[in-house]
Amino acid sequence: MKLDRRDFFAKLGGAAAVAAMTHEARADALEHYMMAGAAGPAAVTAAVSGPATAGDGKPFPTVADIEAQIETQSRRRGAGNLFASANGNVKRLAPMTAKPTLVDYFNLRFTQTSNHCLQSANRAMKNGMSEEIILACLLHDTVQELIKVDHGWWSAQMYEPYVSPKVTFAVRYHQALRFYEDKEHGYEYPDLYRRMFGVDYKPEPYIEQTWQMARKHKWYYESRMVTVNDLYAFEPNVHPTIDQFTDIIGRNFKQPKEGLGFDNTPVAHMWRSIATPDHPL
Ligand SMILES: [Fe+2]
Ligand SMILES: [Fe+2]
């Protein structure tokens, strides 16, 4: 499985445009490309060692390299997908339904995260995982449309009123578990993280402490399985649809009758922010 370099370059505006990009911008673009489901895990290695992302001769950036790029960007790396465009202006969004369901959000707002999350849930389903793990995989990165930094915690908070505590646990801690290998369960540290965080990155103490807590928890397996199914959920030409999961959603997700965003929960504003990101205040 190889990176379709022509497709990747075309999406970024051609080889000249890629050559003009900073190291950081290329890494971000590659991440976006993979999140959209257009490249496989082998593509990361191919890209890292090839000219598309190794123009400076270094296969992976260091933490210092990444920090040095901060003031060369117009947006911060933790900003949600809906609030910035990696390539030109943002687009006008389709109106939301009057009483939005989770499926409506998948169809109308989770445009940059849905394929990756659907692939992850599809893989969990094929691997015979429980419905709670499949649902956790389906939801795990969707909050990145709103915010990326600490997305495990944000995501779990946004879904807390609607799913079981086990699903919330799996979603919240997949973020920290992503940094720690667990070969027994088939999870290795991803090259994507060497690219995103720097080859010499050491997780902060709160991540380390979270890992130490989660690894001893009775629901560790559920959270670990989100990371295992996550690792391989960047397959080209695999495009599962949300219809495959409507039964699992129906049994495991408490859809509010007023619609997500209008049900007066402590997280309703998070849903509204995803529904209407063009509101200036
Ligand atoms: Fe994630
Ligand atoms: Fe993910």
Side-chain angles (χ1 to χ4, degrees), residues 18-262:
V18 174
M21 292 169 86
T22 63
H23 191 75
E24 166 81 353
R26 283 197 299 270
D28 262 8
L30 178 63
E31 183 197 339
H32 273 278
Y33 185 79
M34 294 187 62
M35 286 291 283
V44 180
T45 310
V48 161
S49 59
T53 55
D56 60 0
K58 293 178 187 170
F60 295 109
T62 64
V63 170
D65 291 334
I66 288 172
E67 276 198 22
Q69 296 297 332
I70 290 173
E71 294 192 1
T72 70
Q73 303 295 312
S74 61
R75 67 183 173 96
R76 296 196 187 277
R77 297 182 82 200
N81 296 325
L82 278 166
F83 295 86
S85 168
N87 189 15
N89 293 339
V90 295
K91 299 275 190 298
R92 193 180 290 232
L93 292 165
M96 282 302 285
T97 52
K99 296 177 180 176
T101 64
L102 178 64
V103 173
D104 290 334
Y105 276 93
F106 262 89
N107 290 331
L108 297 168
R109 289 297 181 274
F110 296 164
T111 48
Q112 291 196 54
T113 54
S114 65
N115 195 55
H116 167 67
C117 290
L118 287 164
Q119 280 195 12
S120 175
N122 182 47
R123 182 166 274 272
M125 188 179 263
K126 281 188 174 162
N127 288 340
M129 302 271 136
S130 69
E131 291 202 347
E132 285 175 305
I133 292 173
I134 295 168
L135 183 63
C137 290
L138 186 68
L139 307 178
H140 79 283
D141 280 341
T142 51
V143 87
Q144 290 190 35
E145 306 290 357
L146 176 66
I147 187 163
K148 291 186 178 180
V149 56
D150 264 335
H151 73 283
W153 276 270
W154 282 94
S155 210
Q157 183 180 359
M158 188 169 85
Y159 287 112
E160 207 146 34
Y162 315 108
V163 301
S164 72
K166 195 187 281 184
V167 172
T168 307
F169 183 96
V171 170
R172 178 172 287 120
Y173 299 119
H174 91 273
Q175 180 197 330
L177 265 52
R178 279 288 252 148
F179 292 105
Y180 298 92
E181 290 201 335
D182 180 348
K183 289 185 177 164
E184 194 183 324
H185 286 109
Y187 183 77
E188 295 185 14
Y189 190 83
D191 276 354
L192 180 62
Y193 276 23
R194 294 187 176 94
R195 170 62 72 188
M196 286 173 71
F197 292 90
V199 70
D200 52 341
Y201 172 72
K202 294 270 179 295
E204 287 92 331
Y206 80 95
I207 297 282
E208 170 76 22
Q209 287 155 15
T210 300
W211 152 242
Q212 293 298 349
M213 178 282 295
R215 69 191 296 198
K216 297 178 201 123
H217 196 278
K218 63 180 174 181
W219 293 333
Y220 170 72
Y221 178 78
E222 279 72 14
S223 202
R224 174 50 77 195
M225 285 303 109
V226 174
T227 73
V228 169
N229 289 287
D230 197 11
L231 192 60
Y232 300 101
F234 297 102
E235 295 180 273
N237 309 317
V238 177
H239 302 287
T241 69
I242 192 69
D243 302 340
Q244 186 180 324
F245 305 102
T246 46
D247 286 353
I248 288 177
I249 292 169
R251 285 190 289 270
N252 297 277
F253 188 92
K254 293 176 217 124
Q255 173 64 45
K257 63 181 186 315
E258 304 90 343
L260 291 161
F262 306 107

